[in-house]
Each structure stands twice: as C-alpha cells, then as structure tokens.
Amino acid sequence: MKLLEELKALLGDSGLLTGADVTGRAAGIWRADTLDALAIARPRSTEEASRILALCSAHNVSVVTQGGLTGLVRGADARPDQLILSLERMRSIESIDPVQRTATVEAGVTLQTLQEAAEEQELLFPLDLGGRGTATLGGNAATNAGGNRVIRFGMMKDMVLGLEAVLADGTVVSSMNHLIKNNAGYDLKQLFLGSEGTLGVITRLVLRLREAPSSQNVAFVAFEDFESVPKMLKLVDRGLGGALSAYEVLWNNFYRLVTESPAKNRPPLPSEHPYYALIEAQGNSDELDKQRFETILESALEEGLISDAVIAQSSAERQNLWAIRDDVEQTFRDGTPVVFDVSLPIADMETYIAGVKAALSEALENSVCWVFGHLGDGNLHIIVQTVDGDALEHRETIEQIIYKPLEAIGGSVSAEHGIGFEKKPYLHLCRSGVEIGLMQTLKAALDPQGILNPGKIIDHVRSDV
Ligand code: ZN
C-alpha cells in the first residue's frame, strides 16, 4: 500500500509498526482483545505527526490517536482500515519553570512521570487518577480527565495553559501559551480539550503547576443516612478553608466488596453503615492542619452528622485508606461489569440511585449494583454485574436504566470518562439538538474529510453534501 510505503520512508522501520507488532498489543490496559489496524505510526515530533496527517489526508485514510489506552468508553478503538497514531515516542518533559509554575511536555509523557518531576521541584501537578502510571498527558487532555482531586483543582482543562495540535490536513496549531491570563480572542485550546482526538492531535502541552502541599490528613467516616453526606461535605469544606482535596463516597455494598475477603484490604470501620466517605485535606502546616482536621471531625461526631470516624496516623495508614477507595478492580473479579460515570445534582442522588437499583432488580433478577465516586464533584461511578458475571450480555438494558432518568434531572451520561464510541447513542440525553449540531459544525470545519477518530462522540456530517 502506497501510504504505508510513504510512512515508512518518513518514519523509518522503528517508526511504523505493522503485522504482529500491531496485533500483539492489547486494545486497552483493562481489555482482553487486541489491536487490529493498518499500522501504528510513532512520530518523534510535532513535525512528523504533521507529515503523517498530511499523508493520511491525501490518501483519505482515517487516524485514531492513542495514548496510554486507559480509557473506558472505547474512545481509542481502531478498525482494520485505520491508522493508529501513537505518541509513545514523544515522552520528554521539555522544561519545568518553578517561577512561572509551568511544565512544558510532549503528549506521550505519563501522568505519574510529570507528578514525580514536579515533586522534585516542590511543585504539584494536581491531576490524579488510578491509571497514572500508564495514562498519558496528551490522553488526559484529549479526554479532559478528572479523577480524585477535582474538588480542589478542577479537571484537566483547568490545568492546561497552552497546547500544540495537528489538524487533519497536517496544519500545526501552536498555541503554547504560558500565561495564566490570556483573553486575546477565542481560547483555541478548548477546541481540543475533551474532543477525544476528533478535532486534532495534541502533541505538546503547557501545564499549570501549584505549590506542593506538605501536610496530608485522611479520614474514613460513616453515615447513618444520605442527608448527612452533603451536610458533612459543606461542614468540612467550610471548616478547612480551601484545604479539602478529596471527598469520596462509598455506598455500603461497595465498601463491603473492597474490605472483605477475597479483597486484601480490611474495614477501617464496622461494615453496617449505609454510607462511608474518604475525606482528605492537604495543607502546609503539619500540626495546625492535623488539629483543625480533628476538630472538624469531632464536631461532626457531636452534631451526629457522622456516626464513626478513623483518622490515618501515618503515611502508610493514609495509603491504606486510599487503597480501599481505589480497589475498583474488585468489581471485575467475576467478569467484566458495565461501568458508568454519571454526573447529577447531589440533591437528586439518593432518589436516583434508589430508582436505578429498583429498576435493575426488576429487569435483571441477579444483578449487583455498586455505587461510589467523587461525590463532591457530583460524579458517581455505578458498576453493574450479575451473579453469573454476564453483565455485558445485558448491556443495553442496563444502560437504559442508568441513563434514562438523568435526562429529567439535568444529569450527564459522562462526568469524566468521555463519550467515545460507547456512549454516543446516549449523548442526546444530556446535549440538545442545537448543541450536537454545533459540535458537528466544528467537526466539519476542522476535519472536513472526517478522518480523525471517526464515529466517536458524534457522527460526522460531510460539509460537501
Ligand atoms: Zn473517577
């Protein structure tokens, strides 16, 4: 094939993988199937990425950009006639500026690599999520990743100051802004953040760093009713004066799943409470922060907002409490479940979840529904499995039950995972026809041939018909 010859001439043997080098790779870090695509092109620079896209555009071949493949919505799935563009050879941290508090990176750098490099300079890159060791910053930007500390620092788009992206025809849009404030016209970087590779390929980023915190306090608390959960959120947020960095809630059956055998963690609090929360504060004064944290929890106990609490006394104990919240893998132990990341007003959560559970047990007798998530951000993760471990066979029924009620309460079918291929049929439940139409207009303007990650988020409407 002529395109492959031209790509090989451009990238050399190691820059273009074909055959078993493609099919030998997993389609995602949590997936059993393998990649099937024309080839994997591995540029070393924005310039090379630009030339790859110009060639693909000339040959009218579609391009699927891949980062660390930690996504959960099949946003980076490729077909056999599509080219995969991997940023895996663009892994350099170009610079960290401690005065301006920015990092300039190539898109293939993993999240954890940047976290550690920032830490060496007593700075913090605040995005944090379970896939940190594999997920790339380019992927985080392209999907607008969220994670555990959104309540304090926002999502990925709040940390991106500038970026460089390649358009479908190979045009390089270099918008490497280092300024915190820049209102000079349209904020073009926003076009690419959360666009899941459908509008351009992000190759470099300028990211905002913060001063690193030196104190960390973590507690697990228990509630007797849901009403107390948001009341406690308000109490700690107000009391901590900006230091609250996580407020993660676990419904009872998820708490039991991750603290009872065969899970390796043990319950830090008795298992009979209906709701639990992991609360984290980060500050800069060990003694004062600890005191303030304890005082708030004590007054919550006195007021009866929480019925029990345990505060980690060491860094190992803090890690243990986080390990409980993060042991989502337990939901995969009987087979692949159906995973959701919905967003909805906190005031609607209790009724919504009760309705979902009732509808699930009516439709699927032996179903299990685990609920946990970033409650402070209005983001719940719902994971559904059946006793037989065959939830995927009932995917559509389950999706209808989870998604349908969100429309009436102004919720979203995706809080942080994105739409990809998987949630496209439900996008209309949380976006109007006018909004989807505008997305299609932008897509047609930036990628008129529809070669960038086709079929993801929205259907491409050709501009020439
Ligand atoms: Zn999450």
Side-chain angles (χ1 to χ4, degrees):
M1 187 184 182
K2 190 134 187 301
L3 170 66
L4 292 184
E5 281 166 32
E6 290 169 354
L7 287 171
K8 190 148 264 188
L10 169 68
L11 301 166
D13 280 348
S14 60
L16 189 74
L17 307 181
T18 53
D21 289 335
V22 177
T23 53
R25 290 187 175 203
I29 70 162
W30 290 296
R31 286 172 53 171
D33 55 330
T34 56
L35 293 178
D36 190 6
L38 210 51
I40 301 177
R42 309 193 302 157
R44 284 187 188 277
S45 62
T46 302
E47 173 60 26
E48 281 188 358
S50 154
R51 292 175 65 186
I52 292 168
L53 283 166
L55 286 172
C56 288
S57 179
H59 289 275
N60 205 21
V61 167
S62 297
V63 179
V64 176
T65 307
Q66 292 189 344
L69 295 180
T70 60
L72 291 164
V73 294
R74 296 176 59 202
D77 278 15
R79 292 193 317 245
D81 60 333
Q82 298 175 327
L83 182 82
I84 291 171
L85 194 158
S86 168
L87 280 300
E88 67 199 29
R89 295 206 297 178
M90 293 183 64
R91 288 196 186 276
S92 116
I93 295 178
E94 296 175 12
S95 64
I96 289 184
D97 180 341
V99 177
Q100 189 69 10
R101 295 183 288 195
T102 58
T104 304
V105 301
E106 289 183 327
V109 173
T110 66
L111 171 56
Q112 189 170 348
T113 304
L114 179 63
Q115 286 175 333
E116 288 169 1
E119 217 174 289
E120 275 170 32
Q121 314 247 8
E122 295 182 340
L123 291 166
L124 170 77
F125 182 62
L127 189 78
D128 195 38
L129 39 90
R132 65 183 75 77
T134 315
T136 63
L137 294 163
N140 293 153
T143 58
N144 186 27
N148 291 337
R149 302 213 164 84
V150 174
I151 193 168
R152 172 97 165 257
F153 298 102
M155 295 180 67
M156 183 65 172
K157 70 177 165 56
D158 300 299
M159 302 170 203
V160 178
L161 295 176
L163 56 74
E164 194 161 87
V166 184
L167 302 184
D169 65 358
T171 303
V172 176
V173 183
S174 195
S175 191
M176 296 289 278
N177 168 64
H178 281 71
L179 308 170
I180 288 172
K181 303 175 82 169
N182 186 346
N183 269 351
Y186 297 161
D187 191 359
L188 296 173
K189 67 176 182 286
Q190 298 294 350
L191 280 173
F192 305 101
L193 301 174
S195 71
E196 302 181 39
T198 62
L199 298 181
V201 178
I202 298 169
T203 53
R204 295 168 72 220
L205 293 152
V206 183
L207 300 167
R208 184 175 183 183
L209 304 175
R210 308 288 179 143
E211 292 302 323
S214 57
S215 86
Q216 186 190 21
N217 285 288
V218 179
F220 237 92
V221 302
F223 303 95
E224 294 315 305
D225 52 48
F226 187 81
E227 213 178 53
S228 303
V229 178
K231 281 188 186 158
M232 181 67 179
L233 169 62
K234 281 175 73 71
L235 182 88
V236 285
D237 203 2
R238 197 184 312 126
L240 288 168
L244 179 67
S245 51
Y247 193 84
E248 302 284 314
V249 174
L250 299 78
W251 265 242
N252 179 279
N253 69 349
F254 180 76
Y255 178 78
R256 283 170 179 253
L257 179 81
V258 295
T259 56
E260 289 172 6
S261 187
K264 58 184 186 310
N265 297 301
R266 288 295 153 259
L269 296 171
S271 302
E272 77 273 11
H273 306 287
Y275 306 97
Y276 297 84
L278 179 152
I279 302 172
E280 182 195 71
Q282 291 182 327
N284 286 79
S285 166
D286 275 357
E287 267 314 296
L288 286 175
D289 291 342
K290 188 162 187 274
Q291 233 172 51
R292 185 162 61 166
F293 194 70
E294 286 172 0
T295 309
I296 293 168
L297 292 187
E298 272 162 28
S299 67
L301 272 168
E302 276 163 28
E303 284 177 39
L305 271 186
I306 55 176
S307 50
D308 207 348
V310 58
I311 300 177
Q313 298 300 327
S314 65
S315 141
E317 285 185 18
R318 288 195 286 274
Q319 279 174 22
N320 287 344
L321 292 185
W322 266 112
I324 291 170
R325 158 60 184 86
D326 281 343
D327 196 12
V328 181
E329 264 176 47
Q330 294 304 325
T331 62
F332 281 69
R333 72 188 183 208
D334 297 324
T336 306
V338 189
V339 177
F340 299 93
D341 77 309
V342 299
S343 230
L344 66 158
I346 294 175
D348 292 312
M349 283 180 182
E350 190 182 16
T351 317
Y352 167 76
I353 293 296
V356 160
K357 285 189 167 176
L360 277 173
S361 43
E362 197 174 311
L364 292 167
E365 253 177 50
N366 291 322
S367 62
V368 192
C369 172
W370 294 292
V371 185
F372 60 97
H374 322 289
L375 184 127
D377 316 326
N379 174 191
L380 294 181
H381 290 309
I382 302 172
I383 299 189
V384 181
Q385 182 55 285
T386 62
V387 175
D388 303 326
D390 62 354
L392 287 182
E393 287 171 31
H394 308 283
R395 176 190 280 280
E396 211 186 311
T397 308
I398 299 169
E399 286 176 343
Q400 295 284 348
I401 289 171
I402 303 287
Y403 290 140
K404 269 277 157 65
L406 293 172
E407 191 176 12
I409 52 178
S412 172
V413 299
S414 175
E416 59 179 5
H417 294 168
I419 295 299
F421 185 64
E422 198 173 286
K423 296 183 196 164
K424 192 169 71 167
Y426 303 100
L427 183 64
H428 71 279
L429 293 175
C430 57
R431 294 292 194 186
S432 68
V434 172
E435 286 176 304
I436 293 172
L438 183 53
M439 290 184 201
Q440 284 168 328
T441 302
L442 286 169
K443 172 73 176 168
L446 270 74
D447 178 18
Q449 290 169 271
I451 63 165
L452 287 178
N453 210 9
K456 313 297 166 45
I457 306 182
I458 48 165
D459 286 317
H460 176 59
V461 181
R462 290 187 68 98
S463 50
D464 55 353
V465 289

